[in-house]
Amino acid sequence: MKLLAATIALLALIASSATQAQETKAMPISKSTLTREDVRMVAPALDKYTQERLLGDVWKRPGRAPRDRSIVTLAALIGRNQAIEMPYHFNLALDNGVKPREISEIITHLAFYTGWANAMSAVAVAKDAFAARHIGADQLPAASVTLLPINEAAEAQRATLVQEQFGSSFPGVVQYTTDVLFRDLWLRPDLTPRDRSLVTISALIANGQVAQLAPHLNRAMDNGLTQAQAAETITHLAFYVGWPNVFSALPVAKDIFAKRPD
């Protein structure tokens, strides 16, 4: 009798746990951003810095247009998978003149440079911003497009260098780097080469990946980014990715600036 009672109790507990798990799984996840009051309730000094320094000063500096600052900020947020700020900044980017097709390409580009999961997290947030503004497929880039012309000499030089360094040990990585990144992704026309470079260097700095920064900062400047614009980009990023990541990038950027004319 005691054994029967214990068995019934155990089955009831299992059923209850399963029901709770299903309810938890079905519970919707909020994507809402923090309000100013939320911040003031926890960190009033942070709210003051946000309003006076970040929004009242940094975003108004003349060295970068609001559109470029939005691109840099989105790259940092997506690269670090910081979804809490994405709804605000997706909408701000659209207000600042970043086109829906450019946002789409930024997310796609960063799948390769910061990981697929980060890009998918950004998709989950961006779809709501797009839906609220009635942005449809006609405003997005096609999956398959006519690619931009490629600089065959420069690409051959890059591919040869990578092949010599890593080809014998990591042939798959080298092949995908050439075929998918530099002969496909970087040539998609709905985000200019300059903006792709801006997205890439922002994401690299955001994640502290300074080993890759030198070739991409050089590429960015080849694609039209000036030294002053690059410096202002790094200044802007300090507030979104933290001073240590930016100070790790400063020696690399300084060396690049010294080696090439602006």
Side-chain angles (χ1 to χ4, degrees), residues 109-169:
H109 188 88
L110 287 174
F112 291 86
Y113 282 91
T114 69
W116 240 249
N118 286 359
M120 292 300 182
S121 295
V123 166
V125 181
K127 71 179 181 64
D128 292 336
F130 283 9
R133 294 179 180 240
H134 307 290
I135 295 170
D138 61 316
Q139 297 183 61
L140 302 179
S144 298
V145 294
T146 300
L147 300 177
L148 297 172
I150 189 170
N151 184 331
E152 290 288 358
E155 172 52 22
Q157 183 179 21
R158 184 211 61 77
T160 299
L161 179 61
V162 174
Q163 176 65 33
E164 290 174 349
Q165 287 181 307
F166 306 115
S168 61
S169 300

Side-chain angles (χ1 to χ4, degrees), residues 41-160:
M41 287 175 61
V42 175
L46 176 59
D47 175 67
K48 184 174 186 290
Y49 284 127
T50 300
Q51 300 304 317
E52 294 181 3
R53 289 298 184 186
L54 184 55
L55 301 180
D57 183 7
V58 175
W59 274 85
K60 295 179 180 179
R61 287 172 59 88
R64 304 288 345 225
R67 175 189 176 276
D68 285 356
R69 291 190 184 277
S70 279
I71 289 175
V72 169
T73 306
L74 285 181
L77 295 177
I78 296 169
R80 292 162 66 88
N81 200 11
Q82 295 175 325
I84 191 70
E85 287 289 305
M86 286 185 197
Y88 171 80
H89 280 288
F90 277 128
N91 280 291
L92 181 61
L94 291 165
D95 290 341
N96 283 339
V98 184
K99 298 175 183 177
R101 63 183 61 250
E102 291 172 328
I103 291 177
S104 175
E105 285 293 317
I106 289 169
I107 294 172
T108 301
H109 188 88
L110 287 174
F112 291 86
Y113 282 91
T114 69
W116 240 249
N118 286 359
M120 292 300 182
S121 295
V123 166
V125 181
K127 71 179 181 64
D128 292 336
F130 283 9
R133 294 179 180 240
H134 307 290
I135 295 170
D138 61 316
Q139 297 183 61
L140 302 179
S144 298
V145 294
T146 300
L147 300 177
L148 297 172
I150 189 170
N151 184 331
E152 290 288 358
E155 172 52 22
Q157 183 179 21
R158 184 211 61 77
T160 299

Side-chain angles (χ1 to χ4, degrees), residues 193-223:
R194 171 189 171 279
D195 288 346
R196 284 194 187 277
S197 283
L198 190 59
V199 168
T200 306
I201 64 172
S202 297
L204 292 175
I205 295 171
N207 287 316
Q209 295 171 330
V210 294
Q212 293 292 308
L213 183 57
H216 279 290
L217 183 53
N218 267 307
R219 189 182 185 93
M221 299 180 78
D222 290 342
N223 286 335

Side-chain angles (χ1 to χ4, degrees), residues 183-196:
R183 287 190 173 272
D184 188 349
L185 179 72
W186 273 86
L187 302 179
R188 290 178 60 84
D190 289 289
L191 193 65
T192 66
R194 171 189 171 279
D195 288 346
R196 284 194 187 277

